[in-house]
Amino acid sequence: MADAEPNLHVANTTAPEAPAKPSLRKRLLTGIAGAVLIAGVGYGGWYALVGSHYISTDNAYVGADTASVTPMVAAQVAGVAVSDTQQVRKGDVLVQLDDSDARIALAQAEADLAKARRQYGQTSATSAALAAQVQARSADISRARAQLVAAEADYEKARVDLARRQRLAPNGAVSGEELTSATNAFSSAKANLELARAGVAQANSTRGAATGELAANNALISGTTANSAPEVLAAQARVDQARLDLQRTVIRAPVDGVVTRRAVQVGQRVAPGAQLMLIVPINQLYVDANFKEGQLTRVKVGQPVTLKSDLYGGNVEYHGKVVGLSGGTGSSFALIPAQNATGNWIKVVQRLPVRVQLDPKELAEHPLRVGLSMDAEIDVSKN
């Protein structure tokens, strides 16, 4: 009996505690449900007041409009002044080409220019000589006309003398010899008259030829000078081209940036248009952020963007603005675009690149490189 009492006491002490377990579990579940409810309400309020004003993506990458360095003339490379990863300023010498051929071409063009100017001077002098010839031919015409007048007078005198002797010859007043002499004189005077007329015609023709030559020569120099004549201008253009080709043997940086993909060596012969290297303008970088098509409803040009780079982590923020949306999705411009006209088509959410312009001052403080990953967040509440 003594042993039974403790067992009975234990039973009496444990029986009232059993109903407390369901009450504790209920309170715990109720607390969790309340916490979830409060969190949901809080998130809903935060999203309605703040979160709905922003869209974000981690599918964003740094880009740049790189400058391709290409030669304008064909020549052998005499020297390369830069290497990959080297930072250059606009105008810095990148590559020196052998300029021997260009110097020879310039000297030849300058000689052609001097020859063209000398020919212009010769043409001008020829005009003066032709003008003198025209004046000389005019004097020849005057002399020929004077000879014609004399020949006409001689002809008229010989004709009168012959006519008088012919009237007197039947009466025997004129001898046959005198009549014959008068007839010969008349024939000679007539021939001299025809010769004088031909001389006048020839003098006129010679003056006409000289006048035509003068007009043709003047047409070559009319309204021009030694610097504006067409032949001189053409020669000057060849000189300018040769001088430009000589300048182009020194290849300079077109923009500020960093050298990358250098593909030129000393001794290599390069052709016009061959890519020698790229210059990445790291102070003019931008970001292409690929947002889902459902996020772009309220995206507009000019909206502010906050960005973070994996290179510096979350402690460094970049600020930019939306400058435009791409003309097509990334998949539409892929090398092998997706073909959706099939029986097993499955809809895939597309992404559209949004171009974001970065602040140059922030880029100078924390430089980026092309291809780095970025996190982008657009404030779509701003118009």
Side-chain angles (χ1 to χ4, degrees), residues 335-358:
L335 183 61
I336 303 178
Q339 299 296 325
N340 295 328
T342 59
N344 58 351
W345 174 78
I346 299 175
K347 180 177 180 179
V348 178
V349 177
Q350 299 297 311
R351 290 180 178 268
L352 187 72
V354 176
R355 179 66 57 88
V356 178
Q357 181 181 354
L358 298 175

Side-chain angles (χ1 to χ4, degrees), residues 92-220:
D92 289 350
V93 176
L94 303 178
V95 179
Q96 174 67 57
L97 302 179
D98 184 8
D99 59 359
S100 300
D101 293 340
R103 291 186 182 278
I104 294 174
L106 177 59
Q108 180 64 49
E110 289 176 342
D112 292 341
L113 175 60
K115 182 179 179 181
R117 286 176 174 168
R118 180 171 297 182
Q119 288 178 345
Y120 179 85
Q122 181 179 359
T123 304
S124 299
T126 301
S127 289
L130 290 174
Q133 290 183 9
V134 171
Q135 292 179 354
R137 299 293 82 78
S138 297
D140 291 343
I141 292 175
S142 298
R143 183 172 63 252
R145 286 176 177 173
Q147 292 175 350
L148 176 61
V149 171
E152 287 175 345
D154 292 342
Y155 171 80
E156 186 62 23
K157 181 178 180 300
R159 186 186 65 79
V160 172
D161 288 345
L162 178 61
R164 184 184 307 117
R165 283 169 176 75
Q166 286 177 343
R167 287 195 302 269
L168 297 175
N171 300 327
V174 177
S175 64
E177 182 180 356
E178 187 178 358
L179 180 60
T180 301
S181 178
T183 301
N184 292 337
F186 174 74
S187 299
S188 178
K190 183 178 180 180
N192 289 335
L193 176 60
E194 296 297 330
L195 182 62
R197 288 173 177 172
V200 172
Q202 182 179 2
N204 285 327
S205 177
T206 303
R207 186 182 67 173
T211 302
E213 291 179 1
L214 176 61
N217 200 81
N218 285 338
L220 297 176

